[in-house]
Coordinates of all heavy atoms in Angstrom, one line a residue:
L1 N 85.7 27.3 -63.6 CA 85.1 26.2 -64.3 C 85.9 25.0 -64.2 O 85.4 23.8 -64.1 CB 85.0 26.6 -65.8 CG 83.8 27.5 -66.2 CD1 83.9 27.9 -67.6 CD2 82.5 26.9 -65.9
A2 N 87.2 25.1 -64.1 CA 88.1 23.9 -63.9 C 87.8 23.3 -62.6 O 87.8 22.0 -62.4 CB 89.6 24.3 -64.0
H3 N 87.6 24.1 -61.5 CA 87.3 23.5 -60.2 C 86.0 22.9 -60.2 O 85.8 21.8 -59.6 CB 87.4 24.6 -59.1 CG 88.8 25.0 -58.7 ND1 89.7 25.6 -59.5 CD2 89.5 24.8 -57.5 CE1 90.9 25.7 -58.9 NE2 90.7 25.3 -57.6
A4 N 85.0 23.5 -60.8 CA 83.7 22.9 -60.9 C 83.7 21.6 -61.7 O 83.0 20.6 -61.4 CB 82.6 23.9 -61.5
G5 N 84.5 21.6 -62.8 CA 84.7 20.3 -63.5 C 85.3 19.2 -62.7 O 85.0 18.0 -62.8
A6 N 86.3 19.6 -61.8 CA 86.9 18.6 -61.0 C 85.9 18.0 -60.0 O 86.0 16.8 -59.7 CB 88.1 19.3 -60.2
A7 N 85.0 18.9 -59.5 CA 84.0 18.3 -58.6 C 83.1 17.4 -59.3 O 82.7 16.3 -58.8 CB 83.2 19.5 -58.0
R8 N 82.8 17.7 -60.5 CA 81.9 16.8 -61.4 C 82.6 15.4 -61.7 O 82.0 14.4 -61.6 CB 81.5 17.5 -62.6 CG 80.5 16.7 -63.5 CD 80.2 17.4 -64.8 NE 81.3 17.5 -65.6 CZ 82.0 18.5 -65.9 NH1 81.6 19.7 -65.4 NH2 83.0 18.5 -66.7
V9 N 83.9 15.5 -61.9 CA 84.7 14.3 -62.2 C 84.7 13.4 -61.0 O 84.5 12.1 -61.1 CB 86.1 14.6 -62.7 CG1 86.9 13.4 -62.8 CG2 86.0 15.3 -64.1
A10 N 85.0 13.9 -59.9 CA 85.0 13.1 -58.6 C 83.7 12.6 -58.3 O 83.5 11.4 -57.9 CB 85.6 14.0 -57.5
H11 N 82.6 13.3 -58.5 CA 81.3 12.8 -58.2 C 81.0 11.7 -59.1 O 80.5 10.6 -58.7 CB 80.3 14.0 -58.4 CG 78.8 13.6 -58.3 ND1 78.1 13.0 -59.4 CD2 78.0 13.6 -57.3 CE1 76.9 12.7 -59.0 NE2 76.8 13.1 -57.7
N12 N 81.2 11.8 -60.4 CA 80.8 10.7 -61.4 C 81.7 9.5 -61.2 O 81.2 8.4 -61.3 CB 81.0 11.3 -62.8 CG 79.9 12.3 -63.2 OD1 78.9 12.5 -62.5 ND2 80.2 13.0 -64.2
W13 N 83.0 9.7 -60.9 CA 83.8 8.5 -60.6 C 83.4 7.7 -59.4 O 83.2 6.5 -59.5 CB 85.3 8.9 -60.4 CG 86.2 7.8 -60.1 CD1 86.8 6.9 -60.9 CD2 86.5 7.4 -58.7 NE1 87.5 6.0 -60.2 CE2 87.3 6.3 -58.8 CE3 86.2 7.9 -57.5 CZ2 87.9 5.6 -57.7 CZ3 86.7 7.2 -56.3 CH2 87.5 6.1 -56.5
A14 N 83.0 8.4 -58.3 CA 82.6 7.7 -57.1 C 81.2 7.1 -57.3 O 81.0 6.0 -56.8 CB 82.6 8.7 -56.0
L15 N 80.4 7.7 -58.0 CA 79.0 7.1 -58.3 C 79.2 5.9 -59.2 O 78.5 4.9 -58.9 CB 78.1 8.2 -59.0 CG 76.7 7.7 -59.4 CD1 76.0 7.2 -58.1 CD2 76.0 8.8 -60.0
A16 N 80.0 5.9 -60.2 CA 80.2 4.7 -61.0 C 80.8 3.6 -60.2 O 80.4 2.4 -60.4 CB 81.1 5.1 -62.2
R17 N 81.7 3.9 -59.3 CA 82.3 2.8 -58.4 C 81.2 2.2 -57.5 O 81.1 1.0 -57.4 CB 83.4 3.4 -57.6 CG 84.1 2.5 -56.6 CD 85.3 3.2 -56.0 NE 85.9 2.4 -54.9 CZ 85.5 2.5 -53.7 NH1 84.6 3.3 -53.3 NH2 86.1 1.7 -52.8
V18 N 80.4 3.1 -56.9 CA 79.4 2.5 -56.0 C 78.3 1.7 -56.8 O 77.9 0.7 -56.3 CB 78.7 3.7 -55.2 CG1 77.5 3.2 -54.4 CG2 79.7 4.3 -54.3
K19 N 77.9 2.2 -57.9 CA 76.9 1.6 -58.7 C 77.4 0.3 -59.3 O 76.6 -0.7 -59.3 CB 76.5 2.5 -59.9 CG 75.2 2.1 -60.6 CD 74.8 3.1 -61.6 CE 73.5 2.8 -62.3 NZ 73.6 1.5 -62.9
A20 N 78.6 0.2 -59.7 CA 79.1 -1.1 -60.2 C 79.1 -2.2 -59.1 O 78.8 -3.3 -59.4 CB 80.6 -0.8 -60.7
V21 N 79.5 -1.8 -57.9 CA 79.5 -2.8 -56.8 C 78.1 -3.2 -56.5 O 77.8 -4.4 -56.3 CB 80.2 -2.3 -55.6 CG1 80.1 -3.2 -54.4 CG2 81.7 -2.0 -55.9
M22 N 77.1 -2.3 -56.5 CA 75.8 -2.6 -56.2 C 75.2 -3.5 -57.2 O 74.4 -4.5 -57.0 CB 74.9 -1.3 -56.0 CG 75.3 -0.5 -54.8 SD 74.3 1.0 -54.7 CE 72.7 0.3 -54.5
D23 N 75.5 -3.2 -58.5 CA 74.9 -4.0 -59.6 C 75.6 -5.5 -59.6 O 74.9 -6.4 -59.9 CB 75.2 -3.4 -61.0 CG 74.4 -2.1 -61.2 OD1 73.5 -1.9 -60.4 OD2 74.8 -1.3 -62.0
Q24 N 76.8 -5.5 -59.2 CA 77.5 -6.8 -59.1 C 76.9 -7.7 -58.0 O 76.6 -8.9 -58.2 CB 79.0 -6.6 -58.9 CG 79.8 -7.9 -58.7 CD 79.8 -8.7 -60.0 OE1 79.6 -8.2 -61.1 NE2 80.1 -10.0 -59.8
R25 N 76.6 -7.1 -56.9 CA 76.0 -7.8 -55.8 C 74.6 -8.2 -56.1 O 74.1 -9.3 -55.8 CB 76.0 -6.9 -54.5 CG 77.3 -6.7 -53.9 CD 77.3 -5.7 -52.8 NE 76.4 -6.0 -51.7 CZ 76.8 -6.8 -50.7 NH1 78.1 -7.1 -50.5 NH2 76.0 -7.1 -49.7
A26 N 73.9 -7.4 -56.8 CA 72.5 -7.8 -57.2 C 72.5 -8.9 -58.2 O 71.7 -9.9 -58.1 CB 71.8 -6.6 -57.9
A27 N 73.4 -8.9 -59.2 CA 73.6 -10.0 -60.1 C 74.0 -11.3 -59.4 O 73.4 -12.4 -59.7 CB 74.6 -9.7 -61.2
E28 N 74.9 -11.2 -58.4 CA 75.3 -12.4 -57.7 C 74.1 -13.0 -56.9 O 74.0 -14.2 -56.7 CB 76.5 -12.1 -56.7 CG 77.8 -11.8 -57.5 CD 78.9 -11.3 -56.6 OE1 78.6 -11.1 -55.4 OE2 80.0 -11.1 -57.1
R29 N 73.3 -12.1 -56.3 CA 72.1 -12.7 -55.6 C 71.2 -13.4 -56.5 O 70.6 -14.4 -56.2 CB 71.4 -11.5 -54.9 CG 72.1 -10.9 -53.6 CD 71.1 -10.1 -52.9 NE 71.8 -9.5 -51.7 CZ 72.3 -8.2 -51.8 NH1 72.3 -7.5 -52.8 NH2 73.0 -7.7 -50.7
S30 N 71.0 -12.9 -57.8 CA 70.1 -13.5 -58.7 C 70.6 -14.9 -59.1 O 69.9 -15.8 -59.5 CB 70.0 -12.7 -59.9 OG 71.2 -12.5 -60.6
Y31 N 72.0 -15.1 -59.0 CA 72.6 -16.4 -59.3 C 72.5 -17.4 -58.1 O 72.9 -18.5 -58.2 CB 74.1 -16.3 -59.7 CG 74.3 -15.4 -60.9 CD1 75.4 -14.7 -61.1 CD2 73.3 -15.3 -61.9 CE1 75.6 -13.9 -62.2 CE2 73.5 -14.5 -63.0 CZ 74.6 -13.8 -63.2 OH 74.8 -13.0 -64.2
G32 N 72.0 -16.9 -57.0 CA 71.9 -17.8 -55.8 C 73.1 -17.8 -54.9 O 73.3 -18.7 -54.1

């Protein structure tokens, strides 16, 4: 379970990182 939890933590951290950059780029495009 600890190994499965580690996989989940790495997945969520990387997804949050990718999503934050995508949202930031979308907001910047809306500002012109």
Side-chain angles (χ1 to χ4, degrees):
L1 282 174
H3 280 69
R8 186 182 66 252
V9 168
H11 174 278
N12 291 344
W13 174 85
L15 178 58
R17 177 173 174 268
V18 171
K19 191 173 184 302
V21 174
M22 293 179 63
D23 293 344
Q24 178 66 22
R25 289 171 61 89
E28 292 173 355
R29 285 195 185 95
S30 65
Y31 300 150

